[in-house]
Amino acid sequence: MNFVDDDFELKEIQRLEGHTDRVWTVAWKPHTGINGVPAVLASCSGDKTVRIWEQDSTGSFHCQAVLEETHTRTVRSCEWSPSGKHLATASFDATTAIWENVGVDFECVSTLEGHDNEVKSVSWNREGSLLATCGRDKSVWIWEVLPGNEFDCVSVLQGHTQDVKMVQWNPNMDMLFSCSYDNTIKVWVENLGDDWHCIQTLGESNSGHTSTVWSVSFDASGLKLVSCSDDLTIKVWILIDDDDRIIDWNIEPPWKHVCTLSGYHDRTIFSVHWSREGIIASGAADDAICLFVENNDNEVDEPTFKLLLKKEKAHEMDVNSVQWNTGDRRLLASASDDGMVKIWELVRRSGQKLPST
């Protein structure tokens, strides 16, 4: 599919109403929305709840469950485990809750405590064996998932000097990324002594952001990283990989800045997400959603990106989260301060839908 040459639009499919406060994050359940399995989406909000939305046979989404009476403050982040059996939710009440999905029911089976205050983000590694959390206390916690829904904190990472906004695991290796109000992205790996440490800081000194970094996302290969910031830019980074020799990441930092996208949003960019097909979506405080694709006409070795489309007034207020469906490349979910979750479909302007993968 040549995304650069064809003309596309982001078509609003449905508005999901029910939250009574701003919606912070949306997360698609893995292995849904493909091969006849209905798509399932989680959303979390300042109303202290998490809502689970499921697509019916007509394509419409309905609220399947409301997870409430566990968190006592804003639920800031949610993410499904790779198997889809568990959902982790991070809250301003300083806890992370683990929910088990049994049929149509959800039960809180574990509550993780330890952060001093607001927990801002939660992320599972590729096997679902590790869980990372971060918060306003400037720390990143790594939890080992044990049998019987038990979780053991194996490391508390101190390195950021301000509020940590997001944690995200690389999809193909146990490399953890954290981004912060201190304007940096930190890269963490485990050494031979089972100790986690920072091997690289992506900051202003190496072409990084000059203000708060709100979100990061990886392409399907895990070899490219995209980040967004309060500095109104989106940056793309690549993993320096030399197959002919073993690189010591402690000596030779592995990530390199290759591209900066600016001038597309005029207020803080809160969220970026990279689809399996290579489309970067961004959501910002200017109420807009932008889509970017790699510029295949680029004559230099390093990748560059161009705007595929911009959806003005995607929401009535700030767009806090955008996420592509993991099974069907046509669907994008967004969440906003307007209390709304929206489902979008990427289509050609001719009205022809894109083929499913």
Side-chain angles (χ1 to χ4, degrees):
M1 180 64 60
N2 191 336
F3 290 108
V4 175
D5 294 340
D6 288 340
D7 195 16
F8 296 96
E9 66 175 322
L10 201 57
K11 181 180 178 182
E12 184 181 316
I13 298 300
Q14 192 176 350
R15 300 182 179 196
L16 308 183
E17 301 183 51
H19 284 296
T20 58
D21 202 328
R22 69 183 61 184
V23 187
W24 280 108
T25 305
V26 283
W28 293 99
K29 185 177 181 180
H31 318 301
T32 69
I34 193 170
N35 297 329
V37 179
V40 176
L41 179 74
S43 60
C44 59
S45 167
D47 65 11
K48 310 173 189 176
T49 73
V50 179
R51 285 181 173 260
I52 310 296
W53 311 85
E54 184 171 3
Q55 192 175 29
D56 64 21
S57 58
T58 69
S60 295
F61 286 82
H62 302 276
C63 185
Q64 175 195 26
V66 180
L67 314 187
E68 53 188 348
E69 298 179 357
T70 292
H71 289 299
T72 58
R73 293 184 63 194
T74 289
V75 186
R76 179 63 177 82
S77 172
C78 58
E79 186 173 282
W80 298 91
S81 64
S83 68
K85 184 179 179 182
H86 293 93
L87 178 71
T89 57
S91 172
F92 285 1
D93 65 12
T95 71
T96 300
I98 309 297
W99 305 81
E100 186 170 1
N101 182 197
V102 181
V104 297
D105 296 323
F106 288 82
E107 178 186 358
C108 182
V109 294
S110 189
T111 300
L112 312 184
E113 299 179 342
H115 283 284
D116 292 340
N117 40 47
E118 300 166 3
V119 186
K120 296 294 184 74
S121 177
V122 61
S123 180
W124 303 84
N125 73 338
R126 55 182 174 167
E127 293 94 359
S129 59
L130 295 172
L131 185 74
T133 59
C134 67
R136 193 162 68 91
D137 61 7
K138 310 174 189 176
S139 70
V140 175
W141 290 50
I142 297 178
W143 308 79
E144 184 179 3
V145 183
L146 303 174
N149 294 316
E150 296 290 331
F151 291 77
D152 180 34
C153 178
V154 294
S155 193
V156 177
L157 309 179
Q158 307 282 359
H160 285 292
T161 59
Q162 297 289 340
D163 182 348
V164 188
K165 297 295 187 184
M166 186 181 189
V167 281
Q168 187 69 49
W169 292 95
N170 186 292
N172 291 318
M173 63 188 84
D174 279 340
M175 180 182 284
L176 179 66
F177 288 68
S178 58
C179 57
S180 170
Y181 189 76
D182 67 12
N183 309 347
T184 71
I185 301 165
K186 288 188 177 290
V187 188
W188 310 86
V189 297
E190 187 179 21
N191 63 20
L192 296 177
D194 296 329
D195 185 31
W196 290 82
H197 66 289
C198 179
I199 59 168
Q200 189 175 9
T201 299
L202 308 178
E204 190 172 355
S205 63
N206 46 14
S207 304
H209 292 288
T210 58
S211 190
T212 301
V213 187
W214 281 92
S215 174
V216 295
S217 179
F218 294 92
D219 74 340
S221 72
L223 301 178
K224 295 176 185 175
L225 170 76
V226 63
S227 59
C228 66
S229 170
D230 190 51
D231 65 12
L232 312 186
T233 71
I234 295 168
K235 291 181 180 285
V236 178
W237 313 76
I238 60 171
L239 180 64
I240 303 168
D241 189 15
D242 188 338
D243 294 334
D244 296 330
R245 60 192 177 92
I246 298 174
I247 296 176
D248 184 345
W249 287 338
N250 293 291
I251 299 173
E252 191 170 343
W255 291 89
K256 175 185 176 184
H257 169 266
V258 293
C259 179
T260 296
L261 301 171
S262 61
Y264 299 102
H265 290 288
D266 56 21
R267 292 188 65 193
T268 298
I269 307 168
F270 288 124
S271 179
V272 282
H273 193 248
W274 214 320
S275 78
R276 291 187 304 119
E277 295 74 37
I279 308 173
I280 298 171
S282 62
D286 59 7
D287 312 340
I289 294 173
C290 288
L291 303 184
F292 302 91
V293 292
E294 191 164 345
N295 185 359
N296 295 323
D297 298 330
N298 184 27
E299 295 180 356
V300 298
D301 292 336
E302 294 175 348
T304 62
F305 291 78
K306 64 185 294 183
L307 183 71
L308 179 66
L309 63 86
K310 182 174 183 178
K311 185 70 176 181
E312 302 276 8
K313 300 187 186 307
H315 283 270
E316 294 180 5
M317 298 175 72
D318 296 7
V319 181
N320 295 318
S321 177
V322 287
Q323 189 171 76
W324 293 101
N325 182 283
T326 52
D328 186 340
R329 72 182 182 196
R330 294 171 295 176
L331 297 182
L332 178 76
S334 61
S336 169
D337 276 4
D338 64 14
M340 198 82 65
V341 174
K342 289 189 178 184
I343 308 297
W344 308 84
E345 185 173 18
L346 182 62
V347 297
R348 291 191 180 94
R349 288 196 184 275
S350 63
Q352 181 182 358
K353 295 181 179 180
L354 302 181
S356 299
T357 55

